[in-house]
Amino acid sequence: MTRTANVGEAVAPLLELTDIHYAYREGIPALSGLSLSVFPGERVAVLGANGCGKSTLLKLLAGLIFPRQGSYRAFGRKIDERLLSRDPFGIFFRKDVGILFQNSDAQLFNPTVEDEIAFGPLQMNDPAAEVRSKVQRAIEAFGIGPLASRAPYELSGGEKKKVAIASVLVMDPQVLLLDEPTAGLDPRSSRALVDTIVEAEKKGKTVVTATHDLHIVSEIARRVVVFGEDNRILASGTPEEILTNRSLLLAANLVHLHRHAHDDYWHVHEHEHHEIVHFHEHPDESPGGGSKR
Amino acid sequence: MSEPSREQRFLDTAASRGLRPAGRTHVEKTLRELSSFFSRSMFREETARRPGLLQRVDPRARILVTLLFLVSVSLARSIPELLAHAILPLAAIPLSRIRPGEFLGAGFLIAIVFSVLMAAPATLNVFFDGTVIIPLIDNGREWRYGPYFLPAVIGITREGLLTAATFLLRALTSVAAVLWLTLSTRWADLLRALRFFRLPAIFLQVIGMTVRYTHALLRHSEETHLGKKSRTVCRTKVAAEQAWVGSRIARSWERSLHLMEEVSMAMSARGFTGEAKLIGGPWFGAPEWGLLLAVVLFCTGAHLA
């Protein structure tokens, strides 16, 4: 699959999955026959309910797990375990593909925040002065100066997330894979993260974000891929196309019918959950549209 | 006659079923004590954050002076030398704004008790010959059976006292120095400071991760325990409690395996190939050199005492 760029030449996908099947246990598939192409500089949101395979997809794209069936190509190379562990391309791949885990505790394994951020550049054998300067810049960019000498267990959930993001971005990866990046973040931190993703696009980075937070989708993505509960892709389109397709969102378990009381009347309408914002609309304003309590 | 209240109805049902309040089972007490012990001993970092004079010195210098001090203590032979050495940790504790109660509670009291128990037999002429200065038991005559021997007068000897005092001073002074270091230094700083001693990076990485994830699993266990407590309505059988603890241990094991897998992936994703690399810190400044010089001078003076 190729895409045509503005100037007319064909652009090959940067990441390309073809007919991928993956199961953690026999008989319980996490991904079934998935095909997906991500183009350079694209911002893609992967939407889906819990357990639909979003995290598995990101781990697969990050070359951390490998499909049982199907093929994965990245940067024009067929990705397999041997290539990433034995070939010098593996170093390039690890440097250029950054993944933010859903569970920040898994990602923060160093004694202090400073060590955490320095981990990636040190693995790349950057000179000590350059490592320090990169760490300092990342700390300043995320406003986590006061946390620099703290241990991960001394951080709140939101702080852990920020440190985890800083520890990924310090590597300056070309591909960012973000697994539920706004989960557990307060509105301001969530906003800052959305800005970071938008900024990443300006720098030409490719961002794939797995989320079920519909509020941020139109900002963080130009293309949305919706996963069904059967671990297959249900639909793909622009944020406007997807977010206005109520039946699709209902089928994907991203919104549900909600009964809501107004004085003496009950309304029934679609509704989605999010930690901070409670979003819904009322299709009928007249009491007659609802049912008498 | 009024209707019984909801509470009364429930209590009547509970009484008819023989239910008793949950109380505090020994399983719960054990779990809480275990968790509290680990939290206290491993993660009490409040003392390390105090603005004491010595907390301002780089942890590497603190480790270095502690090691120097321990070597110096082990080389000291006489009681006056050891007594002079003991002054240093005793002075360092208030300078680090550590209260005596905290110091004793952090393990010094236990160290005193066990050191005395170990040293006490050596003071008696039952084990080693010597000049009795405090007679305790007068048997009237010696008693001998094969290689075993009891003197006519059992008592504390001068030589035994000297040996015990030397042992106690050496052991307790060393323990005091190590406790001062751990109370005045956070785990994270301590681990970072160990890099200075050129220990293998992978060893330090593993220790750091062990501390990190012990905390994560400890917190998880605490939460599980609180979760159970919040839904425990009445007292259950001890066997059921034990079965629950067993199942939670298995769950924690499963969880730690899952976490290990995720951590391993997170490390690989950031370029880890099995070779640990750690960032170095800046070189010593005036406070660090000052502390080092002060301890060297003090130890030299103590040997001349």
Side-chain angles (χ1 to χ4, degrees):
Chain A
M1 185 182 170
T2 55
R3 196 175 67 167
T4 309
N6 293 340
V7 284
E9 78 273 28
V11 179
L14 187 64
L15 313 171
E16 187 177 25
L17 298 165
T18 312
D19 192 28
I20 296 288
H21 290 260
Y22 187 87
Y24 288 100
R25 281 181 211 156
E26 203 58 48
I28 309 173
L31 294 172
S32 305
L34 174 91
S35 293
L36 176 72
S37 298
V38 179
F39 292 89
E42 228 191 342
R43 279 191 287 146
V44 180
V46 181
L47 294 184
N50 293 335
C52 70
K54 302 189 298 284
S55 299
T56 308
L57 167 69
L58 293 197
K59 283 177 185 164
L60 227 137
L61 289 173
L64 297 172
I65 55 177
F66 301 90
R68 198 183 52 182
Q69 192 188 317
S71 79
Y72 171 35
R73 296 182 69 81
F75 304 97
R77 307 277 294 263
K78 186 176 185 303
I79 302 299
D80 57 36
E81 200 161 7
R82 189 182 164 79
L83 180 77
L84 294 187
S85 58
R86 303 270 170 87
D87 197 278
F89 171 79
I91 305 171
F92 165 76
F93 184 89
R94 294 292 178 220
K95 193 253 161 235
D96 253 18
V97 180
I99 178 169
L100 176 78
F101 281 64
Q102 190 173 355
N103 176 10
S104 303
D105 269 331
Q107 196 148 10
L108 307 182
F109 44 80
N110 283 288
T112 66
V113 166
E114 206 175 0
D115 289 327
E116 197 59 63
I117 299 172
F119 184 87
L122 281 169
Q123 301 309 309
M124 295 298 133
N125 271 349
D126 285 349
E130 200 179 317
V131 171
R132 280 197 202 95
S133 130
K134 279 183 179 178
V135 170
Q136 199 49 42
R137 280 205 303 272
I139 284 175
E140 279 166 16
F142 284 86
I144 49 177
L147 312 177
S149 63
R150 285 213 210 154
Y153 52 78
E154 296 172 307
L155 306 177
S156 69
E159 287 169 341
K160 279 184 192 170
K161 196 68 115 184
K162 271 191 199 175
V163 174
I165 295 167
S167 69
V168 172
L169 288 181
V170 73
M171 303 271 280
D172 192 25
Q174 276 309 294
V175 179
L176 267 174
L177 307 168
L178 309 171
D179 196 354
E180 300 288 0
T182 54
L185 286 187
D186 55 65
R188 197 182 300 151
S189 305
S190 186
R191 180 73 252 157
L193 185 88
V194 170
D195 291 345
T196 305
I197 298 173
V198 173
E199 193 64 30
E201 191 194 33
K202 287 184 194 160
K203 291 179 185 167
K205 294 185 192 299
T206 306
V207 187
V208 181
T209 312
T211 184
H212 53 228
D213 179 3
L214 299 186
H215 299 95
I216 61 168
V217 171
S218 54
E219 287 187 87
I220 61 162
R222 302 228 168 185
R223 180 154 67 101
V224 180
V225 176
V226 182
F227 269 60
E229 290 182 287
D230 59 353
N231 310 96
R232 292 170 190 276
I233 290 179
L234 211 57
S236 174
T238 64
E240 292 72 32
E241 286 165 357
I242 298 293
L243 295 176
T244 51
N245 190 340
R246 294 280 165 173
S247 57
L248 172 70
L249 297 178
L250 272 169
N253 192 14
L254 288 164
V255 293
H256 64 91
L257 287 176
H258 177 65
R259 219 156 72 105
H260 184 75
H262 278 278
D263 297 330
D264 286 347
Y265 296 95
W266 286 98
H267 285 283
V268 178
H269 50 74
E270 293 95 359
H271 166 88
E272 66 148 315
H273 281 284
H274 184 249
E275 293 94 326
I276 311 297
V277 183
H278 184 88
F279 167 76
H280 60 248
E281 60 186 46
H282 297 152
D284 47 9
E285 287 302 321
S286 65
S291 57
K292 192 90 173 161
R293 189 146 41 154
Chain B
M1 194 178 137
S2 64
E3 243 335 77
S5 67
R6 182 179 159 80
E7 181 186 335
Q8 193 52 53
R9 282 201 309 275
F10 176 80
L11 291 177
D12 289 345
T13 312
S16 69
R17 291 181 186 175
L19 302 181
R20 289 187 298 156
R24 283 173 61 188
T25 62
H26 76 273
V27 173
E28 186 198 329
K29 273 186 267 181
T30 310
L31 281 176
R32 204 179 44 243
E33 284 303 316
L34 266 175
S35 157
S36 144
F37 169 76
F38 277 112
S39 300
R40 260 201 332 264
S41 58
M42 288 189 69
F43 302 108
R44 192 176 63 181
E45 299 189 331
E46 188 244 325
T47 48
R49 292 186 187 283
R50 288 185 193 152
L53 193 66
L54 294 172
Q55 276 93 331
R56 288 176 210 161
V57 180
D58 191 298
R60 292 171 304 170
R62 273 181 265 161
I63 292 189
L64 195 61
V65 296
T66 306
L67 287 176
L68 273 176
F69 180 76
L70 291 178
V71 171
S72 182
V73 168
S74 64
L75 292 175
R77 296 265 170 248
S78 67
I79 300 277
E81 278 179 70
L82 287 165
L83 275 173
H85 273 93
I87 296 169
L88 195 60
L90 292 179
I93 288 155
L95 283 175
S96 306
R97 297 201 181 183
I98 298 165
R99 287 186 278 274
E102 290 167 335
F103 180 67
L104 288 170
F108 196 67
L109 203 60
I110 294 171
I112 292 175
V113 171
F114 280 93
S115 303
V116 167
L117 283 176
M118 281 193 285
T123 59
L124 301 173
N125 59 344
V126 175
F127 303 100
F128 302 103
D129 245 355
T131 316
V132 177
I133 51 169
I134 307 171
L136 298 174
I137 302 166
D138 191 349
N139 289 324
R141 65 183 183 85
E142 286 178 8
W143 181 84
R144 194 179 290 274
Y145 183 78
Y148 304 105
F149 166 77
L150 274 183
V153 177
I154 298 174
I156 295 170
T157 64
R158 183 191 308 278
E159 292 79 2
L161 267 184
L162 272 174
T163 309
T166 308
F167 168 76
L168 284 175
L169 277 172
R170 183 168 286 148
L172 293 178
T173 306
S174 303
V175 169
V178 172
L179 278 179
W180 163 75
L181 177 71
T182 54
L183 284 172
S184 66
T185 316
R186 298 181 323 132
W187 264 101
D189 293 336
L190 205 59
L191 290 170
R192 292 193 82 189
L194 284 173
R195 295 170 199 176
F196 179 65
F197 300 97
R198 303 270 178 241
L199 291 172
I202 192 74
F203 169 74
L204 296 175
Q205 182 89 46
V206 169
I207 293 192
M209 288 173 71
T210 306
V211 172
R212 160 84 183 89
Y213 288 106
T214 300
H215 191 272
L217 287 171
L218 203 60
R219 184 160 288 182
H220 168 71
S221 305
E222 274 175 359
E223 281 169 3
T224 308
H225 170 234
L226 290 178
K228 178 176 180 286
K229 195 176 172 182
S230 71
R231 288 189 288 134
T232 302
V233 181
C234 57
R235 189 166 298 186
T236 48
K237 288 179 182 162
V238 174
E241 289 277 316
Q242 287 166 342
W244 178 80
V245 172
S247 73
R248 290 310 87 195
I249 291 171
R251 175 74 190 102
S252 295
W253 171 249
E254 200 182 330
R255 188 183 160 88
S256 64
L257 284 179
H258 178 69
L259 191 60
M260 185 178 78
E261 206 175 302
E262 281 220 298
V263 171
S264 156
M265 280 188 192
M267 292 176 84
S268 297
R270 280 154 70 196
F272 184 73
T273 52
E275 190 194 342
K277 292 162 189 167
L278 303 165
I279 192 168
W283 193 234
F284 281 4
E288 287 75 31
W289 286 117
L291 179 68
L292 206 58
L293 189 67
V295 171
V296 168
L297 286 176
F298 186 91
C299 289
T300 312
H303 282 289
L304 299 173

